[in-house]
Amino acid sequence: MSEFDLGRRRLVQAVGAGLLLPGLAPAVIASVKDRPQLTDGVQSGDMLGDRALIWSRSDRPARMVVEWDTRSLFSNPRRIVSPLTDARSDFTARVELTGLPADQAIFYRVLFEDAQSGVASEPWFGHLRSVPQQRRDIRFVWSGDTVGQGFGINPEIGGMRIYEAMRLRLPDFFIHCGDSIYADGPVPAQISTEGGRIWRNLTTEVKSKVAETLGDYRGNYRYNLMDENIRRFNAQVPQIWQWDDHEVVNNWSPGKQLDGRYHNKDIHNLVGRARQAWLEYAPMRLQRADQGGRIYRKLSYGPLLEVFVLDMRSYRGANDDNLGGAKPFLGREQLDWLKRELKGSSAQWKVIAADMPIGLGVPDGELSPGVPRWDAVANGDPGQAQGRELEIAELLGFLRAQQVRNYLWLTADVHYCAAHHYHPDRAAFQDFEPFWEFVAGPLNAGSFGPDTLDKTFGPEVVFEKAPPAQNTSPFAGFQFFGEVNIDGQTAEMSIILRDLDGVAVFEQKLQPI
């Protein structure tokens, strides 16, 4: 057994609970009430080259101290200290580990030192595996949609168990494809579900209403972090976060009209607050200044894989009929970036992490009687590309012209799982090479679907699994995550869709071209 695997198993309990291991007590001894507290655990994310981000949160002004080593005994730890964190960032802090040896087990421990007294908290432990430089087997998981439709932390079923199912797959990292919170979804004490069965939630004051203030949005993230499955998962699996609509409000766009639950009717004001909270709680390095911090980015994971993380919310125009001439969705700057980076990629596989599917119609009410409004790319018209579809057509045509191969799309959003194959022979727009799109979710939310395919780009449903009724509770088991395995020798990719218990419901193997 490797040092990494051995250490991973030794730390399972300690990491998840944030326990203090023998011999690792902080130098400053004080009563518990005098020490800073790490109530929200630790996270790692956005690994890149010899770097990785570590995130945590204190309960008071403090400096975060991170020590890391390649052995779980911490015999030769390296130490990094964050700037002071305070209420301006909701006491969240992050540091970047640098100089990590390639493809190694990295064990870390996090503590906070009080800004005034210097008293130290007890440490919380985590680990990750650093980015490889050579070909090796890779496994990662993806999904989305956490605590939606009022389904929160239910202690009677063990909380958000799907996070434990993902952790047990021992992935190298996790892509959260959006809806990391449901800021517009209050969590009641109980919900009556199928057959009259009662779903019982842990509740908090901030989750009793829709989020409007910055504190409300922050409280939504803290609610999710109350779940022990999530805390254990966060400490052991590095993450790549995207955002979608529910981090703000359902189906938001610049033209969003807010309902009667909202006192604040300014969608731009809400987006600003929601974005700040998302950036505070996401385990990612902050990109260059761009509307408060750029979310789209590329992460390289050795010679076999690069992940292109999209932002399908920040640059779109208002949701409308999505017909006619070009309408912004990714936006010109992001689209040009994606074309340039995909063309320049030397990775064997290029994974495009999208927060919404390409070919599924995602309705957003009606503009007028009988005239649907659309939230995603598709517009319900199976003919030539129109509206937002023109950006996708431009991208696909470019990839064909530049002979970019071995790319696929991973997404969530629609609350069921599916495998879609796109082919020009079935399409109205035909200037592209065949490709795959895989859908997984939700993680802990109501289950829906299936949605209607728009044939503009020739999608075919190879597989789908959806509930028999809309807004089915997690009791019914229609919760899904996806798993990707890349063989280090052959570069074969295997995509597996798994259910709430980690049981495979579908597998597709892809050979590199």
Side-chain angles (χ1 to χ4, degrees), residues 47-68:
M47 296 185 298
L48 184 64
D50 66 347
R51 296 175 286 159
L53 259 291
I54 306 297
W55 176 97
S56 190
R57 179 177 178 271
S58 177
D59 66 344
R60 67 193 68 182
R63 288 179 174 82
M64 183 170 78
V65 178
V66 180
E67 294 183 326
W68 68 271

Side-chain angles (χ1 to χ4, degrees), residues 44 56 92 130 139 176 237 296 300 353 359 381 400 408:
S44 66
S56 190
T92 63
S130 56
R139 172 180 293 168
H176 198 304
V237 182
Y296 68 84
S300 301
D381 185 327
R400 181 183 187 185
L408 66 152

Side-chain angles (χ1 to χ4, degrees), residues 347-369:
Q348 182 75 72
W349 290 103
K350 303 157 188 68
V351 166
I352 302 171
D355 35 300
M356 303 197 79
I358 299 170
L360 289 174
V362 181
D364 182 25
E366 292 185 327
L367 286 171
S368 58

Side-chain angles (χ1 to χ4, degrees), residues 220-236:
N220 273 258
Y221 293 99
R222 292 199 299 274
Y223 177 84
N224 290 3
L225 291 168
M226 291 167 57
D227 183 81
E228 62 181 14
N229 300 290
I230 287 184
R231 293 198 306 272
R232 184 164 51 242
F233 180 84
N234 289 351
Q236 298 184 47

